[in-house]
Amino acid sequence: MAEVNLNQTIRCIVKLGGAAITCKNELEKINEENLETVSSHLREAMILESCSKKVIGMDWSKRAGVSDVSASLSDFGDQGQFNVDFSRFIVVHGAGSFGHFQASKSGVHKGGLNQPLVKAGFVATRISVTTLNLEIVRALAREGIPSIGMSPYACGWSTFERNVASADLSGVTKAVDSGFVPVLHGDAVLDHSLGCTILSGDVIIRHLAEHMKPEYVVFLTDVLGVYDRPPTDPNAVLLREIAVDEDGGWSVVKPKLESTNKQVEITVAAHDTTGGMVTKISEAAMIAKLGIDVYIVKAATTHSLRALSGELRRHIPDDWLGTIIRFSKEVGQVNSSPS
Amino acid sequence: MAEVNLNQTIRCIVKLGGAAITCKNELEKINEENLETVSSHLREAMILESCSKKVIGMDWSKRAGVSDVSASLSDFGDQGQFNVDFSRFIVVHGAGSFGHFQASKSGVHKGGLNQPLVKAGFVATRISVTTLNLEIVRALAREGIPSIGMSPYACGWSTFERNVASADLSGVTKAVDSGFVPVLHGDAVLDHSLGCTILSGDVIIRHLAEHMKPEYVVFLTDVLGVYDRPPTDPNAVLLREIAVDEDGGWSVVKPKLESTNKQVEITVAAHDTTGGMVTKISEAAMIAKLGIDVYIVKAATTHSLRALSGELRRHIPDDWLGTIIRFSKEVGQVNSSPS
């Protein structure tokens, strides 16, 4: 695939983890509070210093429980002339409690589109994940972020044995060049070998990062970062920094683990059809290998706001909680800079 | 643009008119009853004779007022092994009471994406029309139609001075080849001259018809067909057949109008940013010129079901109410066959 020709570089690609923005144990339920905070953080991180701070809402549609759709429109009387410039972000979100039920019930991730149950599950999965996509686009638009939903299947993404086989990135590029913030998501797609499969948000992020070379990538999750064992374990230690070498191998740089076994224990939730933490760390390592810093951080916290703002690229404060994954020519060398 | 290479031909492209599937005078309100009937008619028209008639629901998402999402899943116990083949349809819908408010309030159709109000309106319009698209995809899926939403902006459609400049039809083709029914819609898109504009469902239909050569095209509307004057006029006469010549000129063949002035009076609703009947007839004439029969018919009636089924291609019963627009080498020659 050809490199994408961008007028300017992408500042940041953000993953909104499914677990952070949905209520994972309740079917198709959005974590409204988190989503609202994340949207507001994104606005704060994206907006350029010189601009008006006034929010110009861009969701003029009816909402359950909200009577007046035109309230946001009245702002244009005095604010419409001020252009708000947003720096170049791309948002990708996971599915959380949307899509997983439909996908796992039908086995869409295993392929076999000619089976009636799989075909029905493919349609049902896409309905569920596009419902979530629309709600996220709306939440961002209410914060004045000019968000544009781009559904990977419909935008020409397909896979071969679950790896990205085709992806028309020109639409994403044009949207960014036009001042929009594209919002992609994990999706059911056609697979040239299996018939169909699930393309996870993490794989999308890695593909976008490879071709669009953002300055940094942020994964917003529901825990503080990556731990050395399941975070529910009282002895779990938050890994502050992971170094990735040229071969994509990775090791924990900070904190110095007492155990000689530095292999991080990972858990894969049974219902997570796209692989959970294993996928996340290996995808993140692939991104870091390109010289792009990756921050894994808890959504809707001051830590995630700092990560989104890009300030960690210059200096990592001691009170910042999260996991940094970055390239190091010599693994083990602390605080190496990815140039 | 290159001709699309289809494994098989498309049987029918259907336009679900905004006025037929939404309540035109109430913001963002779907005409649920009509949409349900239209979906069921589409299923009946699409399904192949040899197949099981049992509906296998493909919308497994939560719905307001419906408690059990998994009811449709239980069908798979005994029905999952029966494959239901649908003939090759493409659905395109208008906006009705979705999108028009946002588009006209901001002037998206007039361009100027660098203006804050237009940019906000672009985002707001897309939110509104994709909300409708999702609801239509769900209504079709509940009837067991393997529908796939494809949003023109996100799928790479753009215009130059409001004419289609680019459209990646390969995604539509692949979806049809995979046994899905693509569902497109009128959308806000980038215009290479104006910055942005509204691409109407009628223009999308014409473009698809030109490149994909369906056997016939059906426009489902909220009136019986095309009249010689506004249908609210008590003297309005339903035009049963319009012939289109090689230059795209058209004249009424049936009934023989008494008036010497055969020019059909047309009205353009003030809020219809994409042109109303003028656009519809001229787009329909462009399609008919290609030798493709066009039926304009009232949605959710026995007349529309007959049009969708394709039976009018062989014989037009006297009791069928609607407007047929078709090619005639010699305009005025009644019942000429488009070969």
Side-chain angles (χ1 to χ4, degrees):
Chain A
M1 253 162 289
E3 286 300 286
V4 173
N5 186 14
L6 290 167
N7 291 346
Q8 297 167 268
T9 55
I10 298 291
R11 197 170 127 211
C12 176
I13 299 178
V14 186
K15 167 79 186 290
L16 310 187
I21 48 163
T22 72
C23 303
K24 225 173 173 176
N25 298 319
E26 192 172 339
L27 178 70
E28 298 187 340
K29 177 134 178 81
I30 286 170
N31 186 331
E32 299 282 358
E33 199 183 326
N34 262 13
L35 180 56
E36 198 177 316
T37 307
V38 166
S39 300
S40 139
H41 283 178
L42 278 169
R43 174 184 168 83
E44 205 174 318
M46 283 179 194
I47 208 161
L48 299 178
E49 284 302 323
S50 58
C51 291
S52 157
K53 300 288 185 226
K54 185 100 168 57
V55 173
I56 297 176
M58 298 185 181
D59 175 11
W60 304 349
S61 286
K62 281 199 301 195
R63 291 182 68 202
V66 179
S67 58
D68 189 8
V69 296
S70 58
S72 52
L73 273 172
S74 59
D75 296 344
F76 281 99
D78 55 339
Q79 296 291 332
Q81 67 272 34
F82 297 115
N83 215 335
V84 179
D85 280 326
F86 287 90
S87 52
R88 301 161 67 86
F89 273 58
I90 297 172
V91 173
V92 181
H93 63 83
S97 60
F98 290 75
H100 278 307
F101 161 72
Q102 290 85 353
S104 58
K105 194 86 186 172
S106 58
V108 169
H109 53 295
K110 291 183 282 188
L113 196 57
N114 55 343
Q115 296 165 46
L117 177 62
V118 175
K119 180 176 276 184
F122 190 98
V123 170
T125 301
R126 296 208 69 252
I127 286 171
S128 188
V129 292
T130 54
T131 299
L132 176 61
N133 182 252
L134 183 56
E135 288 308 317
I136 291 174
V137 165
R138 293 185 66 174
L140 295 171
R142 286 195 291 276
E143 281 293 326
I145 297 169
S147 51
I148 293 281
M150 304 194 93
S151 208
Y153 171 85
C155 296
W157 291 65
S158 65
T159 55
F160 181 82
E161 290 177 357
R162 298 199 177 91
N163 294 310
V164 175
S166 70
D168 180 15
L169 300 183
S170 67
V172 178
T173 307
K174 272 181 217 150
V176 173
D177 285 343
S178 303
F180 295 118
V181 175
V183 184
L184 292 82
H185 59 86
D187 201 3
V189 296
L190 299 182
D191 185 285
H192 301 298
S193 160
L194 305 166
C196 63
T197 193
I198 298 293
L199 174 66
S200 78
D202 292 333
V203 174
I204 292 170
I205 292 255
R206 197 239 299 172
H207 191 82
L208 289 174
E210 263 176 19
H211 292 270
M212 308 187 92
K213 301 274 174 11
E215 294 174 20
Y216 53 101
V217 170
V218 180
F219 285 84
L220 301 179
T221 67
D222 61 340
V223 288
L224 285 174
V226 179
Y227 289 82
D228 66 338
R229 68 202 80 181
T232 48
D233 185 324
N235 296 316
V237 174
L238 177 66
L239 307 179
R240 309 291 285 267
E241 187 170 344
I242 292 172
V244 177
D245 65 22
E246 277 164 336
D247 302 322
W250 48 274
S251 65
V252 179
V253 177
K254 193 182 168 189
K256 299 286 178 201
L257 296 182
E258 286 171 24
S259 160
T260 48
N261 177 15
K262 287 190 175 182
Q263 182 60 45
V264 176
E265 284 179 46
I266 41 79
T267 50
V268 182
H271 70 278
D272 187 343
T273 50
T274 58
M277 265 299 168
V278 187
T279 312
K280 196 176 302 303
I281 297 178
S282 69
E283 296 295 333
M286 301 281 267
I287 297 167
K289 216 180 76 173
L290 304 167
I292 300 165
D293 284 7
V294 177
Y295 312 120
I296 301 181
V297 60
K298 185 166 183 168
T301 61
T302 55
H303 309 294
S304 61
L305 179 56
R306 294 175 98 165
L308 290 169
S309 74
E311 67 166 89
L312 303 180
R313 299 191 70 223
R314 296 181 296 275
H315 169 69
I316 296 154
D318 284 338
D319 63 351
W320 184 77
L321 292 177
T323 302
I324 295 177
I325 301 181
R326 57 181 168 184
F327 178 72
S328 166
K329 275 188 185 151
E330 208 175 314
V331 160
Q333 182 191 335
V334 182
N335 290 328
S336 63
S337 163
S339 77
Chain B
M1 249 161 290
E3 287 299 286
V4 173
N5 187 13
L6 289 168
N7 291 347
Q8 298 166 266
T9 56
I10 299 291
R11 195 168 130 213
C12 176
I13 299 178
V14 186
K15 167 79 186 287
L16 309 187
I21 48 164
T22 72
C23 303
K24 225 174 173 174
N25 297 320
E26 191 174 338
L27 179 69
E28 298 187 340
K29 178 137 177 81
I30 287 170
N31 186 330
E32 298 283 358
E33 198 183 327
N34 261 14
L35 179 57
E36 198 178 315
T37 308
V38 165
S39 301
S40 138
H41 283 178
L42 278 169
R43 173 184 168 84
E44 204 174 319
M46 283 179 193
I47 208 161
L48 300 178
E49 285 302 322
S50 58
C51 290
S52 156
K53 299 289 186 226
K54 183 102 167 59
V55 173
I56 297 176
M58 299 185 182
D59 176 10
W60 304 348
S61 286
K62 283 199 301 194
R63 291 182 69 201
V66 179
S67 57
D68 189 9
V69 295
S70 59
S72 51
L73 273 172
S74 59
D75 295 344
F76 281 99
D78 54 340
Q79 296 291 332
Q81 67 272 35
F82 298 114
N83 215 337
V84 179
D85 280 327
F86 287 90
S87 52
R88 302 161 66 86
F89 272 59
I90 297 172
V91 173
V92 181
H93 63 83
S97 60
F98 290 74
H100 278 309
F101 160 73
Q102 290 86 352
S104 59
K105 194 84 185 176
S106 58
V108 169
H109 53 294
K110 289 182 283 187
L113 196 56
N114 54 343
Q115 297 166 46
L117 179 61
V118 175
K119 179 175 275 184
F122 190 98
V123 171
T125 301
R126 296 208 70 251
I127 286 172
S128 187
V129 293
T130 53
T131 300
L132 176 61
N133 182 251
L134 183 56
E135 289 307 317
I136 290 174
V137 165
R138 292 185 66 174
L140 295 172
R142 285 195 292 275
E143 282 292 326
I145 298 169
S147 51
I148 294 281
M150 304 193 94
S151 207
Y153 171 85
C155 296
W157 291 66
S158 64
T159 56
F160 181 82
E161 290 177 356
R162 298 199 177 92
N163 294 309
V164 176
S166 71
D168 180 15
L169 301 184
S170 67
V172 177
T173 307
K174 272 180 218 152
V176 173
D177 285 343
S178 303
F180 295 118
V181 175
V183 183
L184 291 84
H185 59 87
D187 202 0
V189 296
L190 299 182
D191 185 286
H192 301 297
S193 160
L194 305 165
C196 63
T197 194
I198 298 293
L199 174 66
S200 78
D202 293 333
V203 174
I204 291 170
I205 293 255
R206 197 240 298 171
H207 191 82
L208 289 174
E210 265 177 18
H211 292 270
M212 307 186 94
K213 302 274 173 15
E215 294 174 21
Y216 53 100
V217 170
V218 180
F219 285 84
L220 301 178
T221 68
D222 62 337
V223 288
L224 285 174
V226 179
Y227 289 82
D228 66 337
R229 68 202 81 182
T232 47
D233 185 325
N235 295 317
V237 174
L238 177 65
L239 308 178
R240 309 289 287 267
E241 187 171 343
I242 294 171
V244 177
D245 65 22
E246 277 164 337
D247 303 322
W250 48 274
S251 65
V252 178
V253 177
K254 195 182 165 189
K256 300 285 177 200
L257 296 182
E258 286 171 24
S259 160
T260 48
N261 177 15
K262 287 190 176 180
Q263 182 59 47
V264 175
E265 285 179 46
I266 41 78
T267 50
V268 182
H271 69 276
D272 187 343
T273 50
T274 57
M277 266 299 169
V278 186
T279 312
K280 196 176 303 303
I281 297 177
S282 69
E283 295 295 333
M286 301 281 267
I287 296 167
K289 217 182 75 172
L290 302 166
I292 301 165
D293 284 7
V294 177
Y295 311 120
I296 301 181
V297 60
K298 185 165 182 167
T301 61
T302 54
H303 309 294
S304 61
L305 179 56
R306 295 176 98 164
L308 290 169
S309 75
E311 68 167 87
L312 303 180
R313 299 190 71 222
R314 297 180 296 275
H315 170 69
I316 296 154
D318 284 339
D319 63 350
W320 184 77
L321 293 178
T323 303
I324 294 178
I325 302 181
R326 56 182 169 183
F327 178 72
S328 166
K329 274 186 186 152
E330 210 176 313
V331 161
Q333 181 190 334
V334 182
N335 290 328
S336 63
S337 165
S339 80

